[in-house]
Amino acid sequence: MKNIFFLTLWLGVSTLAIAQELIVKDKITLQPLEGVYVKGNNTGSYLLTNSKGVVDIDSFANADSIQIQSIGYRSQVYSYTALQAMGFKLSLTESNTAADEVIVSASKFEENKKDVAQQVQVIKASELSFMNQQTTAEVLQQSGNVLVQKSQLGGGSPIIRGFEANKVLIVVDGVRMNNAIFRGGHLQNVLSMDNTILDRTEILFGPGSVVYGSDALGGVMHFYTKNPSLASSQQKVNFKTNAFARYATAYDEKTGHVDFNIGLKKIAFLSSITISDFGDLQQGSNRKSSYGDWGKRNFYVERINGKDSMVTNSDVNVQKQTGYRQYDFLQKVLFRQNENINHVLNFQYSTSGNVYRYDRLTEVNGGGIARSAQWYYGPQSRFLGSYRLNLKGDNLFYNKASVILAFQDVKESRHNRNFNSSNLNHRKEHVNVYSVNVDLEKTIKEKHELRYGAEFVYNTVNSKAERENIITGAKSDLDTRYPNGGSTMQTIAFYATHSWHITKKVVLNDGLRYSNINLHSSFGDKTFFPFPYNDITQKSHAVNGNLGLVYMPGADWRFTVLGSSGFRAPNVDDMAKVFESTGGRLVVPNPELKPEYTYNVELGASKTIAQRLRVEATGFYTWYINALTSQKTQFNGSDSIVYNGINSAVYHTTNAAEAYIYGLNVALYADITSNLSFSSTLNYTYGRIKTDSTDYPLDHIAPIFGKISLMYKMKKMKVEAFTLYNGDKLSKDFNLQGEDNQAYSLEPVNGKVPAWYTFNIRLAYQINDYLQAQVALENIMDTYYRVFASGISAPGRNAVFTLRARF
């Protein structure tokens, strides 16, 4: 009897000694949530969940209410007794109306989104996973606020506020991807960023030159890859693995991905591999009668018995010669020296197979004969190696600081052969980019946040070309795309930004940047074209600034006003591109180019109602000075030249006098019930080049577009039904001398690119803690359409099947 008494007493004491742990997980994915804020009403302190979503809440045992809150999730309040009845296990649901997101891209350091005057959109890792898109270009298209042009399946050129290509900036992990040969025409460089390993994507709308320098005219797309995770105090090793396999019918896509994390107390490793194989893209078959043969793939070219032949396509909706392969690798190493110092090594490598330039392969001459037998981009490879030093401290100069040393090696090539020609042309470009970024943040008297830093970027460009006789194998010299003597481009810049929390309701943002840019190109061999100069040198500098005010009169209202300037110095592609045939058009060098500038004013307003409905609107007006556009010119006194067998008009890039762009973004987010949410975005843009008579359309101006979504969330499952849509692009709004690709997207449809919309649905079901199944049906109506300025038709009905595993 005595033994039973002491055993009961021992068990009671032991029970009291065990800490009571609350476990917090995501309601859909069942994954633990780290950094969840937990606070009881009986104490002024708060606690945070660890990497396993666990927090000890013994100190809140007498609390009538315990607040559980995480950024981007719906807040919850429970009594200790209620949590006890739930077994101290809690699931949180993401909020569709939350406005308290933390962003980094606006100033390079963490700050609350609501304190920033500039329009910013954040796409989190959970959204990227649920979107489950083939490429990063498709992710941007499905954001609802970015339109993406395509000339081939292995392409994707984002358009932001009427700017595209080298006028919007791509940044990955703090390193700018835009290099000296980013062109004004459509680009596919965003495809070299693997969306499966992204932790988040932040899109800044409008000029971002104060923080990021040249090229950030229309906006900045900042991609943040996932970081290695160290072991917590309760772990010896933090080992995590994510993998998935995906198949998509319209793309005939087979994709496999695996990443794994090995974390010790001070050092952690993250490795990632993604391999994708795309077949020929199937376009929509449901077309209006007015479309005629627009976009049908009636033929393709094959070489049969040593002769080029136009082969009849058995299925006109299969876009022959569009398939390609993509390979992406990432390796990161994190070393935490102590609580205030850590080091990150970041290695990324992306490459592809040959990517066929589909729009060129569909061109025919006046007699209906194919213009090209071959036209493809060779493997586009991108290597990034960087070292990042992160510092924390409380000294005169900074509270936080970052130093990034980076090297990029970029290779790309173009290969083309005319129909029935034996000459295959090869043009290859090799760019090396060296960069240093130093960024510091200092808080002064709690109300002032000063962020400042410096940037150095150095580009080298080498261009080679040769002509190959495919019959004899003989090779000969060919004119290069860029100066064959090589080119360099150097940038040195200093910047400072400042946030002043004047009151709890008023925040001031301001900033200033000075940039100095030098460019030099050398024409070593002028055999093909006798240029009147041996080299070109361009020296430019710019001072950019911004001034923004955020006014929050109450918890529900928010108003912003922002004035900002943007700057883009001409690069090697703008100033020194030797010649490029573009359907009977040749572009020649122009050594007289000047930098282009934008001056932007925008107003924003948002209203939150009952924490369930949020409405946002942002309007902007941009003055575009010395805008770089393509215009007719002469070469050696002639306005046309026979080039590659085609009599081509001569053009060059030049500074137009002035242009303007204005537009509006409207968004609505609603949590209809605890499980059902709704969102909608709409974007309108209008742009014109000013002339002495009638203002002329500016290229890259997207038609009205947006996204409407209905989302249902329950335990283990999330379902989204959504539509993407575009309005008409009328003939009078096309720039016939720019990059709008009227010939591919306009000619058969009564003088316009027709409006379109698609219905789509996707579902994710969490089978258990380790396995998730995803199913999607895109373009359910199998609608035929082309995105504005695209040379390839969009996918038809597309069923996507994915199985994900987490361990």
Side-chain angles (χ1 to χ4, degrees):
M1 189 72 179
K2 185 183 293 184
N3 290 336
I4 293 175
F5 171 77
F6 282 111
L7 177 61
T8 303
L9 180 63
W10 179 82
L11 287 173
V13 173
S14 299
T15 302
L16 291 173
I18 298 173
Q20 184 54 64
E21 295 180 336
L22 174 68
I23 303 173
V24 186
K25 292 186 176 183
D26 183 285
K27 182 176 182 180
I28 309 299
T29 66
L30 307 182
Q31 298 304 302
L33 294 177
E34 184 178 2
V36 177
Y37 172 98
V38 182
K39 182 180 180 180
N41 68 344
N42 63 332
T43 175
S45 63
Y46 66 90
L47 303 171
L48 297 174
T49 58
N50 62 19
S51 61
K52 292 186 176 182
V54 175
V55 61
D56 178 358
I57 60 170
D58 271 349
S59 57
F60 301 151
N62 298 320
D64 295 327
S65 64
I66 300 174
Q67 183 181 3
I68 298 102
Q69 186 176 1
S70 182
I71 292 176
Y73 286 82
R74 294 185 186 131
S75 298
Q76 304 286 339
V77 178
Y78 294 95
S79 66
Y80 186 89
T81 304
L83 289 174
Q84 187 176 39
M86 297 162 59
F88 294 101
K89 294 180 180 179
L90 181 65
S91 296
L92 297 184
T93 303
E94 288 183 305
S95 172
N96 198 38
T97 61
D100 58 349
E101 291 177 294
V102 172
I103 60 173
V104 180
S105 54
S107 66
K108 297 191 177 181
F109 291 95
E110 290 185 354
E111 56 187 325
N112 200 310
K113 181 181 174 182
K114 68 180 182 181
D115 295 334
V116 177
Q118 190 168 12
Q119 182 188 352
V120 184
Q121 181 177 5
V122 180
I123 307 175
K124 297 177 293 186
S126 58
E127 296 173 275
L128 291 165
S129 175
F130 184 60
M131 282 183 179
N132 196 27
Q133 291 301 294
Q134 282 71 30
T135 68
T136 302
E138 300 294 346
V139 168
L140 294 170
Q141 176 79 10
Q142 295 214 2
S143 71
N145 292 315
V146 179
L147 195 68
V148 178
Q149 180 276 348
K150 285 191 174 186
S151 296
Q152 62 277 336
L153 180 58
S157 191
I159 303 172
I160 302 177
R161 288 194 178 181
F163 291 96
E164 185 185 359
N166 57 19
K167 296 175 178 62
V168 292
L169 185 65
I170 304 171
V171 182
V172 55
D173 292 333
V175 180
R176 55 183 291 133
M177 284 180 59
N178 292 42
N179 58 51
I181 64 170
F182 263 41
R183 58 189 182 272
H186 313 297
L187 291 172
Q188 63 266 20
N189 299 72
V190 75
L191 265 72
S192 67
M193 188 63 256
D194 179 14
N195 75 88
T196 64
I197 197 61
L198 291 178
D199 180 63
R200 61 197 286 116
T201 297
E202 295 185 9
I203 307 169
L204 278 73
F205 297 86
S209 290
V210 169
V211 175
Y212 293 98
S214 181
D215 301 358
L217 298 180
V220 178
M221 296 164 287
H222 202 147
F223 301 102
Y224 300 88
T225 59
K226 295 177 181 177
N227 282 313
S229 298
L230 296 167
S232 66
S233 57
Q234 295 85 19
Q235 296 173 304
K236 289 185 177 180
V237 179
N238 181 10
F239 181 79
K240 295 186 290 186
T241 300
N242 297 283
F244 75 80
R246 179 175 63 220
Y247 178 73
T249 57
Y251 296 84
D252 189 23
E253 177 213 9
K254 288 81 67 178
T255 291
H257 166 85
V258 61
D259 68 77
F260 54 90
N261 181 91
I262 301 174
L264 304 176
K265 298 297 183 183
K266 283 186 171 289
I267 191 167
F269 305 86
L270 175 65
S271 305
S272 170
I273 301 173
T274 305
I275 299 175
S276 296
D277 186 319
F278 298 95
D280 291 332
L281 182 64
Q282 178 94 23
Q283 64 187 9
S285 61
N286 185 6
R287 63 177 67 232
K288 296 180 180 180
S289 58
S290 60
Y291 292 179
D293 286 343
W294 177 43
K296 289 182 178 179
R297 185 60 156 142
N298 292 312
F299 76 92
Y300 58 96
V301 175
E302 279 192 359
R303 194 162 180 84
I304 302 173
N305 297 325
K307 183 180 179 180
D308 291 333
S309 301
M310 294 177 64
V311 178
T312 301
N313 189 8
S314 59
D315 186 345
V316 296
N317 291 319
V318 174
Q319 299 179 90
K320 284 285 189 178
Q321 299 171 315
T322 52
Y324 74 102
R325 291 183 178 180
Q326 181 81 21
Y327 310 88
D328 294 287
F329 307 91
L330 177 141
Q331 178 64 60
K332 276 188 169 182
V333 182
L334 166 65
F335 173 63
R336 186 178 65 182
Q337 184 173 335
N338 54 49
E339 290 185 358
N340 296 322
I341 304 174
N342 70 56
H343 312 262
V344 180
L345 289 175
N346 185 356
F347 301 101
Q348 299 175 21
Y349 180 70
S350 174
T351 190
S352 67
N354 292 335
V355 178
Y356 293 95
R357 180 71 185 267
Y358 182 77
D359 54 355
R360 298 293 183 84
L361 294 174
T362 61
E363 289 180 345
V364 295
N365 61 23
I369 304 301
R371 290 188 182 275
S372 299
Q374 292 176 271
W375 213 121
Y376 61 93
Y377 294 104
Q380 180 172 354
S381 66
R382 175 184 69 92
F383 169 79
L384 165 67
S386 74
Y387 161 74
R388 180 166 189 156
L389 171 65
N390 294 312
L391 302 171
K392 293 181 181 179
D394 188 10
N395 56 56
L396 180 63
F397 300 103
Y398 65 85
N399 301 117
K400 294 180 182 178
S402 168
V403 179
I404 303 175
L405 309 178
F407 168 73
Q408 296 179 75
D409 184 282
V410 180
K411 296 176 182 177
E412 59 182 56
S413 60
R414 294 164 176 79
H415 311 263
N416 69 288
R417 181 173 64 85
N418 293 337
F419 189 75
N420 280 335
S421 171
S422 58
N423 294 320
L424 177 59
N425 301 322
H426 304 281
R427 291 182 172 87
K428 300 178 181 180
E429 275 66 59
H430 187 188
V431 183
N432 285 331
V433 187
Y434 308 83
S435 61
V436 179
N437 289 85
V438 180
D439 303 291
L440 305 98
E441 180 186 54
K442 178 66 178 177
T443 301
I444 304 171
K445 295 182 179 179
E446 295 185 355
K447 288 192 173 186
H448 297 271
E449 295 169 357
L450 176 65
R451 303 173 180 100
Y452 61 101
E455 179 180 59
F456 172 78
V457 183
Y458 185 76
N459 285 248
T460 64
V461 179
N462 289 292
S463 191
K464 297 181 179 180
E466 65 179 9
R467 175 168 287 156
E468 175 189 2
N469 187 304
I470 62 172
I471 298 175
T472 66
K475 295 182 179 179
S476 58
D477 291 336
L478 181 67
D479 56 298
T480 56
R481 179 176 174 87
Y482 301 112
N484 52 30
S487 302
T488 62
M489 187 172 181
Q490 174 185 291
T491 300
I492 300 176
F494 304 92
Y495 81 95
T497 65
H498 166 244
S499 294
W500 179 15
H501 294 258
I502 301 172
T503 69
K504 291 183 179 180
K505 297 180 179 182
V506 181
V507 182
L508 179 73
N509 306 149
D510 55 87
L512 199 65
R513 182 188 186 97
Y514 172 77
S515 301
N516 182 282
I517 298 171
N518 296 322
L519 185 152
H520 179 81
S521 293
S522 176
F523 297 92
D525 184 353
K526 298 193 289 183
T527 300
F528 290 94
F529 297 99
F531 299 115
Y533 33 77
N534 295 318
D535 56 18
I536 300 176
T537 298
Q538 169 75 53
K539 295 183 178 181
S540 57
H541 62 90
V543 176
N544 297 106
N546 63 30
L547 182 63
L549 190 69
V550 180
Y551 176 52
M552 296 170 283
D556 298 334
W557 280 102
R558 181 175 178 269
F559 299 96
T560 61
V561 58
L562 174 67
S564 57
S565 65
F567 162 74
R568 198 183 82 80
N571 63 12
V572 174
D573 186 86
D574 295 310
M575 190 164 59
K577 179 164 34 182
V578 180
F579 272 89
E580 181 184 40
S581 177
T582 346
R585 294 176 49 187
L586 301 177
V587 180
V588 300
N590 180 7
E592 305 300 326
L593 286 181
K594 302 175 183 178
E596 53 188 345
Y597 301 87
T598 58
Y599 299 92
N600 181 75
V601 175
E602 63 183 79
L603 300 172
S606 67
K607 169 68 174 175
T608 302
I609 301 172
Q611 296 186 343
R612 287 189 171 270
L613 174 67
R614 189 171 89 250
V615 182
E616 299 177 346
T618 304
F620 68 92
Y621 189 100
T622 301
W623 291 271
Y624 191 9
I625 309 299
N626 286 338
L628 295 178
T629 61
S630 182
Q631 293 186 0
K632 289 184 177 181
T633 188
Q634 291 186 340
F635 181 76
N636 287 342
S638 176
D639 58 7
S640 64
I641 296 175
V642 176
Y643 180 73
N644 277 347
I646 300 174
N647 188 45
S648 302
V650 180
Y651 283 75
H652 70 172
T653 301
T654 187
N655 295 96
E658 185 178 349
Y660 59 89
I661 305 170
Y662 59 81
L664 176 69
N665 169 264
V666 179
L668 185 150
Y669 307 94
D671 286 331
I672 300 171
T673 69
S674 59
N675 294 326
L676 186 65
S677 60
F678 173 85
S679 64
S680 176
T681 63
L682 180 144
N683 298 271
Y684 170 78
T685 315
Y686 182 89
R688 287 293 186 270
I689 300 172
K690 289 190 174 183
T691 69
D692 293 334
S693 54
T694 304
D695 292 348
Y696 189 73
L698 188 67
D699 48 356
H700 307 296
I701 303 299
I704 192 169
F705 71 95
K707 177 182 178 181
I708 301 172
S709 168
L710 192 65
M711 183 90 72
Y712 184 75
K713 301 174 184 177
M714 57 186 297
K715 189 173 183 180
K716 294 189 174 185
M717 189 170 72
K718 178 160 57 173
V719 183
E720 181 185 22
F722 65 98
T723 180
L724 298 171
Y725 63 89
N726 267 209
D728 291 328
K729 177 78 174 185
L730 303 178
S731 177
K732 66 182 181 64
D733 294 325
F734 269 78
N735 184 314
L736 302 182
Q737 299 175 357
E739 302 290 343
D740 280 351
N741 278 355
Q742 185 189 31
Y744 299 117
S745 55
L746 183 64
E747 56 184 33
V749 196
N750 302 322
K752 66 180 180 181
V753 175
W756 58 265
Y757 57 88
T758 62
F759 293 111
N760 316 271
I761 189 168
R762 52 189 167 215
L763 176 150
Y765 179 73
Q766 196 70 35
I767 300 170
N768 53 40
D769 287 351
Y770 310 107
L771 293 175
Q772 183 188 78
Q774 289 181 266
V775 179
L777 189 59
E778 300 172 338
N779 193 1
I780 295 171
M781 304 303 292
D782 201 28
T783 300
Y784 174 80
Y785 69 99
R786 279 194 178 185
V787 176
F788 155 68
S790 293
I792 186 172
S793 302
R797 185 180 294 117
N798 183 39
V800 186
F801 306 94
T802 306
L803 182 65
R804 295 182 182 270
R806 296 187 180 97
F807 300 99

